[in-house]
Amino acid sequence: MRSLRYAMEAVDLTRKFGDLVAVDHVNFKVEEGELWGLLGPNGAGKTTTVNMLCCLLTPTDGTAKVGGHDIRKEAGEISKLIGFCPQEATVFERLTGRENVKLIGQMHKIPKTELKKKTNELLEKIGLTERADDQVITYSGGMKRRLDLIMAMVHDPPILFLDEPTLGLDPAVRRAVWDFIMELKERRKTVVMTTHYMEEADELCDRVAIIDYGKIIVEDSPARLKEKAGKGDIIEMEFEGKAEPAIRRLRNLKFVRTVDVVDNRLVVVAEAGISRLGKIIEVATKAGVKVGRISYKENTLEDVFIHLTGRRLR
Amino acid sequence: MMAVAVNLAVKNLKTIFRDKVYLFFLLGMPIFMMFLIGLAFRGDATAYSVGYVNNDSSLDSSKFIESLDNASLLPVPPGTPPLEDILVLVQFNDPESLKDSFRKGDIVAGLIIDEGYSPENASETVTLFVDESSVSASMTVKSTVTVISSFLAGSPPPEEYWKPSDESISVEFNIMNFMVVGTLTYAVSIIIFSVTASIAKERDKGLFSRLRTTPMSTMDFLAGGLMSQLVVSLVQTASVFAVSYLIGFNPMGTTNLDKAVNMLAAFVVALILAVACVGVGLVIAAFAKNEDQAVGVSWFFIIPMMFLSGTWWEPQDPAMKTISWVFPTTYANKAIRAILARGAPLLSVSNYLVGLAVYAVIAFMVGVAIFRKKTM
């Protein structure tokens, strides 16, 4: 790969399916060695964006460069630079784990001895050595997913696309996959990762773009995004009665950043909100609202999404 | 390109041969069918039940019945093969009960001998009806009755039944040879199902997309698929021949070398048929939206092909005969039957071979073009 500041650049990238605009003129740049996350709810356009960047879909409008190559014209060159881990475990079930990894290596024309060594190393790394010669059809979902990941990196690509890499995994396997991704980051690989798990994006990504209805609505580091959504604690209150007077009065409090109604709950973002919980309940009650169950937490990327769209991610 | 295609072919073969259900469809079913055909048609002689009503009380009519029942006892002219005891005569008291039995299928033919029968006026006093739905029964009964009637009348029998056969050009009807060839082309044509199902499955499961993100080209993918299907068709052909040998199939040829050459020629035709079937499979796979649809559409093509292309029987209707040329198995059935059942050399069936080869090239090229357009 040529030495570039940006491993990826999208300009007005658009994809339509009939009348549906799945990806709507998105623009972004991903720096070399960066772990860039595309966060959004199901159907937001994350997978379509990744499929276009991997040259699996032709854009309807706009274009993008991956590793300095145009996705419209240089798919062959791009395929040499990327590793792709699709949304669902995509493995040949009648082949063994070892044969699956080798097959992708063979497609990249890795010399036989080197491929054998690399395959063994990767299988060892994800703890599949003992089951490496069993057909994949006998593997659990987590094992298939781990295999899927190493298939994307057997040829040691500088750019990796991970589409929902932890979707449907149990917490232990998810943690193992996170460790694996962190290692990629340490090795200065450029990683584009889609997810709808906010904690995943928060924990792993250098920068996150939040996509909704095919448009990127905000892009920044997780810390700055959370800051933009409002510093402070998040207090969620179940309530009965008219919310508008309570919202008005709560917004007048100096320490309150935002007040919204989401899923029939009053969501209040307030500085030192937990210690001022009594005051918040008092104001809401005086405004005619009967407060029910209360929960509180620190600001997350989901709150950023709520702040921007008024909806939850899931 | 070659190394990548070979790696993909190996992957395909592992996938096919490790999947028991798949393997049964591709190999087990044709072998099982061949085995059943062998059981159904094996045996040196088949006896056909023929009912009769004798309204004549003369010795001549009794001798006629006895001769039909024991044909092997009749003296034949020198140099001619003896007649076989192939008919079993069953007496009925009246024509109605004879016809009832015929309609029920208990007998394959009926004879009604009128009063006043003599060997010289048999054509006027003997009524013969046969079950035309059974080709072999109808041919055998008609020929045996004709030959014996002629013999008893002291007139020369029809030449076609008495001329000593020349082994090298024998075209003796052999149901086993007919069915072996049909089973072989049926087995190879299942490749259409195999190609459509495997491509649609890989596409549905995202495996094809995964491969497309590697430097693999479309031609690598298709060449790998073709190679693996050709290997499958070779294994199918060899398996069908092996089983057919065990159950008594004997291809034409004066020497063992002739027979081996004829078998090899049949392999060549089977391989060309396999290429044509891969092409048809690619077209179906390109249009099918998912695996279920691909499988359904492939059988929608395979079943009419089996019925109309002479796989199990020859179509009789002239229009159907014309339509049958749209199926690759029509060319293959004719070519392989000529080679294995009549001992024709490969070159003498070049018209069918050229037809099949042209079909294969066009089907494959169209398949590749549509597949690339629809899926890449």
Side-chain angles (χ1 to χ4, degrees), chain B residues 183-303:
Chain B
T183 309
L184 173 65
T185 54
Y186 161 74
V188 174
S189 65
I190 306 177
I191 282 178
I192 294 174
F193 154 78
S194 169
V195 168
T196 52
S198 61
I199 288 179
K201 189 175 182 179
E202 291 199 352
R203 200 175 48 201
D204 284 2
K205 292 198 166 187
L207 295 163
F208 182 55
S209 292
R210 163 148 243 162
L211 290 174
R212 280 179 59 205
T213 61
T214 72
M216 174 203 82
S217 70
T218 318
M219 283 318 291
D220 288 330
F221 181 79
L222 295 173
L226 180 63
M227 280 184 220
S228 56
Q229 296 301 340
L230 290 183
V231 172
V232 169
S233 71
L234 275 176
V235 175
Q236 284 177 320
T237 308
S239 308
V240 168
F241 278 152
V243 176
S244 62
Y245 254 122
L246 289 176
I247 57 172
F249 169 64
N250 189 18
M252 290 305 298
T254 45
T255 64
N256 282 340
L257 183 65
D258 277 350
K259 290 179 183 184
V261 168
N262 286 344
M263 297 281 273
L264 205 61
F267 264 90
V268 171
V269 181
L271 281 182
I272 303 173
L273 175 63
V275 176
C277 289
V278 169
V280 173
L282 285 176
V283 174
I284 296 173
F287 282 107
K289 288 188 170 63
N290 53 48
E291 189 184 355
D292 289 343
Q293 206 179 75
V295 170
V297 175
S298 65
W299 284 107
F300 195 72
F301 187 84
I302 292 170
I303 291 172

